[in-house]
């Protein structure tokens, strides 16, 4: 039966399997493109704000996908513009090469797959290209991985200790640090902790008082700058002698000032800093 499968049916099964993998790869890149549409890559290597990751997480949750997986799709899609994606190469290989500066040339020059003699990229060959050992393939190795996964899943404290012990080995640290999605999750966790610490600090009475004084002084400074500038400058001007066009220009400026004052009063009363498009456009013209 095995010989018959190898000789007569194997190629057909491989062809069908590759078609399914291609379909999955297309879906993963499509999801990544959606994530990029929602949160484009900031210029100059900057990180998106935390609210952007919250947006991605909410969307992922609504479509039944893990937030980390959705963000990984975004990362890989950003690394591979549509014109540079290799149709016959699976998404995982694209993900493995996403951090390589030579990835566009690399993916077009696959090595020889010894079993068939064809030049193709497999996940194992891609891992070897990156200098990594292939994933555990023996049954004994897979059993150990399942055992560790069960321990991690069952008890958070045990999971933390396992990770801590693993990270005492520099070789493990190096390999983990080489995985972009792991670095991204760690960075997000650190950013979230810093944000929570800041919020907790802001809630302390003495800090809230300092923030209140700072905000009051900031607004009063803006008011003082305008009123002082007008009081000092206006007496020396000849506004009544200006042309109608010039007067209209000044009136437009006063409209912006009035709108800003009314908006400030609205914020004082409601606490909402939202503004409609007309007001935003009016204030931005100044």
């Amino acid at each position: 039966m095995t010989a018959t499968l190898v000789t007569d049916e194997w190629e057909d099964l491989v062809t069908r399997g590759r078609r399914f993998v291609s379909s999955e790869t297309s879906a993963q890149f499509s999801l990544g493109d959606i994530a990029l549409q929602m949160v484009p890559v900031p210029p100059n290597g900057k990180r998106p704000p935390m609210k952007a990751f919250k947006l991605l997480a909410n969307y992922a949750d609504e479509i039944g996908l893990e937030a980390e997986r959705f963000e990984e799709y975004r990362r890989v899609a950003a690394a591979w513009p549509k014109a540079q994606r290799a149709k016959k190469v699976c998404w995982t290989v694209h993900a493995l090469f996403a951090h390589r500066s030579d990835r566009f040339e690399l993916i077009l020059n696959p090595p020889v797959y010894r079993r068939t003699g064809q030049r193709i990229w497999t996940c194992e060959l891609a891992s070897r290209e990156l200098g990594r050992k292939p994933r555990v393939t023996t049954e004994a190795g897979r059993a150990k991985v399942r055992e560790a996964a069960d321990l991690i899943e069952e008890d958070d404290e045990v999971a933390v200790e396992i990770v801590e012990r693993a990270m005492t080995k520099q070789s493990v640290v190096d390999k983990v640090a080489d995985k972009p999605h792991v670095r991204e999750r760690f960075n997000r966790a650190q950013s979230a902790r810093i944000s929570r610490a800041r919020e907790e600090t802001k809630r302390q009475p003495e800090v809230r008082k300092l923030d209140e004084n700072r905000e009051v002084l900031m607004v009063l400074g803006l008011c003082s700058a305008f009123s002082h500038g007008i009081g000092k400058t206006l007496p020396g001007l000849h506004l009544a002698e200006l042309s109608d066009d010039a007067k209209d220009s000044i009136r437009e400026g006063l409209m912006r000032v009035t709108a800003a004052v009314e908006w400030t009063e609205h914020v004082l009363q409601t606490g909402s800093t939202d503004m409609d498009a007309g007001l935003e456009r009016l204030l931005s013209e100044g």
Side-chain angles (χ1 to χ4, degrees):
M1 178 64 183
T2 303
T4 303
L5 176 62
V6 170
T7 57
D8 298 335
E9 300 178 34
W10 182 262
E11 288 301 323
D12 179 58
L13 291 174
V14 168
T15 299
R16 288 165 56 191
R18 285 178 178 172
R19 186 162 58 246
F20 291 136
V21 170
S22 177
S23 177
E24 182 182 16
T25 295
S26 177
Q28 290 164 323
F29 270 126
S30 295
L31 287 166
D33 291 335
I34 290 175
L36 276 179
Q37 182 179 348
M38 297 170 64
V39 181
V41 176
N44 303 323
K46 294 182 178 179
R47 284 174 51 81
M50 286 302 298
K51 63 180 181 180
F53 291 112
K54 181 64 175 177
L55 175 66
L56 294 174
N58 289 340
Y59 180 83
D61 187 53
E62 287 202 26
I63 65 173
L65 190 67
E66 292 182 351
E68 291 79 7
R69 176 63 63 179
F70 188 50
E71 290 169 18
E72 185 179 12
Y73 290 162
R74 173 182 171 274
R75 175 184 65 81
V76 176
W80 293 96
K82 291 182 179 180
Q84 305 293 340
R85 298 168 189 173
K87 293 182 179 180
K88 295 184 179 181
V89 179
C90 72
W91 180 89
T92 302
V93 172
H94 284 86
L96 287 170
F97 289 159
H99 69 287
R100 288 279 293 252
S101 59
D102 61 343
R103 58 188 177 278
F104 301 143
E105 296 78 17
L106 182 62
I107 207 163
L108 296 177
N109 294 282
V112 175
Y113 183 45
R114 62 180 179 80
R115 292 188 59 183
T116 63
Q118 296 176 311
R119 286 190 172 274
I120 59 172
W121 278 118
T122 67
C123 297
E124 180 178 343
L125 290 173
S127 295
R128 292 186 184 279
E129 172 66 28
L130 297 175
R132 304 175 185 173
K133 291 183 179 179
R135 289 183 176 273
V136 176
T137 56
T138 65
E139 184 55 39
R142 285 195 293 266
K144 291 179 181 179
V145 171
R146 286 194 296 268
E147 182 180 355
D150 289 341
L151 290 172
I152 290 173
E153 187 68 27
E154 291 172 2
D155 192 318
D156 286 350
E157 294 302 320
V158 171
V160 170
E161 186 168 347
I162 289 174
V163 173
E164 285 180 343
R165 291 191 180 187
M167 296 299 281
T168 60
K169 296 181 64 176
Q170 188 60 46
S171 59
V172 173
V173 173
D174 292 340
K175 290 178 180 178
V176 171
D178 193 40
K179 297 180 181 295
H181 66 283
V182 175
R183 293 200 306 270
E184 183 64 33
R185 292 185 66 178
F186 180 80
N187 289 337
R188 282 203 316 277
Q190 286 291 85
S191 298
R193 291 189 64 183
I194 292 172
S195 296
R196 288 196 297 270
R198 287 175 177 170
E199 291 301 319
E200 291 174 1
T201 301
K202 288 180 180 179
R203 286 194 289 269
Q204 296 177 8
E206 59 273 21
V207 176
R208 291 182 64 182
K209 187 63 177 177
L210 289 174
D211 286 342
E212 181 179 283
N213 292 338
R214 178 180 59 81
E215 292 183 2
V216 169
L217 291 174
M218 186 181 298
V219 176
L220 289 180
L222 294 171
C223 295
S224 176
F226 177 76
S227 59
H228 178 73
I230 288 292
K232 183 177 180 180
T233 305
L234 210 59
L237 304 179
H238 304 85
L239 301 188
E241 301 173 9
L242 297 177
S243 65
D244 290 342
D245 288 343
K247 290 179 181 178
D248 286 343
S249 295
I250 292 177
R251 290 189 180 99
E252 290 178 2
L254 292 175
M255 285 176 56
R256 287 194 291 272
V257 173
T258 301
V261 171
E262 292 176 349
W263 181 52
T264 303
E265 181 62 35
H266 169 76
V267 174
L268 286 173
Q269 292 180 2
T270 67
S272 173
T273 57
D274 295 337
M275 63 174 73
D276 58 39
L279 177 59
E280 186 176 4
R281 185 168 56 253
L282 180 64
L283 295 182
S284 64
E285 292 174 352

